[in-house]
Amino acid sequence: MRIHRHDGIARVTAAVIHPGAIVEEGAVIGAGSYIGPFCHIGPEVTIGERVTLKSHVVVAGETSIGDDTMIFPFAVIGEVPQDLKFKGEKTRLEIGARNRIREHVTMNAGTEGGGGVTRVGNDGLFMAGCHVAHDAHIGDRVILVNNSAIAGHCVLEDDVIVGGLSGVHQWVRIGRGAIIGAVTMVTNDVIPYGLVQAPRGELDGLNLVGLKRRGVARSDITAMRAAFQMLAQGDGSFHERAKRLGDETDSQYVREIVDFIMGESDRSFLTPR
């Protein structure tokens, strides 16, 4: 739904734009959305239905925001990447539906060298002060706690939780259901359902609380705990142990961990203590 202007005030059918907001010509605003005072929406922005921008939100670049998302004051979404290699090429940011993006969150567009797009999935919670850098791919139901930072080219699969004041190094992959403790620096890939803590990020077990909350069967949890011990203490290299696990397991959750380990990576893995 495109913006029409009358008497200097932007009006969109079935949406509300505060007269103190700046919505540039060409932006698309979905039905039922609200653009609050002092927001600035760029000309290449597409906002879905029932999206709320409370106030003082900047949405720039070629950015799309999915339905029912709420963005809180002073967030800056879709600005150019913080990468010295960026030379103004055409890139974008895609944000899914039903996200909650809190105060002072920043999410940057992609770079040509990283594929050209930063993607954020559905149903995420991005607490105050979080940063999602260029070319990162964030899955569904991800939680970034206050002042955590995800560097460029990272992949966070579904249901990941990153604790407050934590940082994830560029190119790191974090598998589904993993949890990163507060004030942790993660410099290597994290297996699905892994529990990482300590200042320099040590793989210290499995996210058992998260597994139980999702209703994972006790037999699968038992299999995953045994698999973790084998990865930590078995014979051969880490990848050799993982391959042997894949040949022996009947658990789909253990298989998911093995497939993740055997997948392509630009970083080495955090290995169990």
Side-chain angles (χ1 to χ4, degrees), residues 115-134:
V117 58
T118 304
R119 287 193 176 93
V120 175
N122 304 316
D123 301 298
L125 172 59
F126 302 88
M127 298 188 192
C130 293
H131 176 62
V132 177
H134 59 88

Side-chain angles (χ1 to χ4, degrees), residues 246-266:
D247 294 337
E248 298 173 356
T249 187
D250 294 323
S251 168
Q252 68 180 45
Y253 290 91
V254 175
R255 166 58 60 186
E256 183 177 349
I257 293 172
V258 171
D259 289 345
F260 186 89
I261 293 171
M262 303 308 293
E264 291 187 14
S265 175
D266 292 286

Side-chain angles (χ1 to χ4, degrees), residues 155-161 173-180 188-196 203 205-208 210-211 214 220 224-225 227-228 231 238 242 252-263 269-270 272:
V155 175
L156 274 62
E157 295 187 349
D158 296 346
D159 302 302
V160 166
I161 299 174
R173 297 182 304 146
I174 300 182
R176 182 162 76 106
I179 185 168
I180 311 301
N188 298 93
D189 290 353
V190 178
I191 62 172
Y193 313 106
L195 166 64
V196 175
L203 184 59
L206 297 171
N207 182 12
L208 297 175
L211 290 166
R214 279 192 288 276
D220 280 309
M224 292 169 70
R225 295 181 76 168
F228 186 88
L231 287 172
F238 184 69
Q252 68 180 45
Y253 290 91
V254 175
R255 166 58 60 186
E256 183 177 349
I257 293 172
V258 171
D259 289 345
F260 186 89
I261 293 171
M262 303 308 293
F269 279 87
L270 290 177

Side-chain angles (χ1 to χ4, degrees), residues 125-146:
L125 172 59
F126 302 88
M127 298 188 192
C130 293
H131 176 62
V132 177
H134 59 88
D135 306 298
H137 289 187
I138 309 296
D140 297 339
R141 298 175 301 279
V142 168
I143 299 174
L144 303 186
V145 182
N146 303 75

Side-chain angles (χ1 to χ4, degrees), residues 66-146:
D67 298 346
D68 300 298
T69 290
M70 181 174 290
I71 305 181
F72 287 72
F74 303 105
V76 179
I77 307 300
E79 267 292 359
V80 298
Q82 300 174 81
D83 185 339
L84 293 174
K85 298 187 296 298
F86 181 74
K87 303 301 181 184
E89 60 266 24
K90 193 76 167 177
T91 60
R92 66 189 190 277
L93 167 65
E94 299 174 357
I95 298 174
R98 299 177 302 279
N99 287 288
R100 296 295 177 266
I101 300 173
R102 297 303 304 249
E103 297 83 355
H104 299 279
V105 168
T106 55
M107 296 182 176
N108 293 161
T111 64
E112 185 176 44
V117 58
T118 304
R119 287 193 176 93
V120 175
N122 304 316
D123 301 298
L125 172 59
F126 302 88
M127 298 188 192
C130 293
H131 176 62
V132 177
H134 59 88
D135 306 298
H137 289 187
I138 309 296
D140 297 339
R141 298 175 301 279
V142 168
I143 299 174
L144 303 186
V145 182
N146 303 75

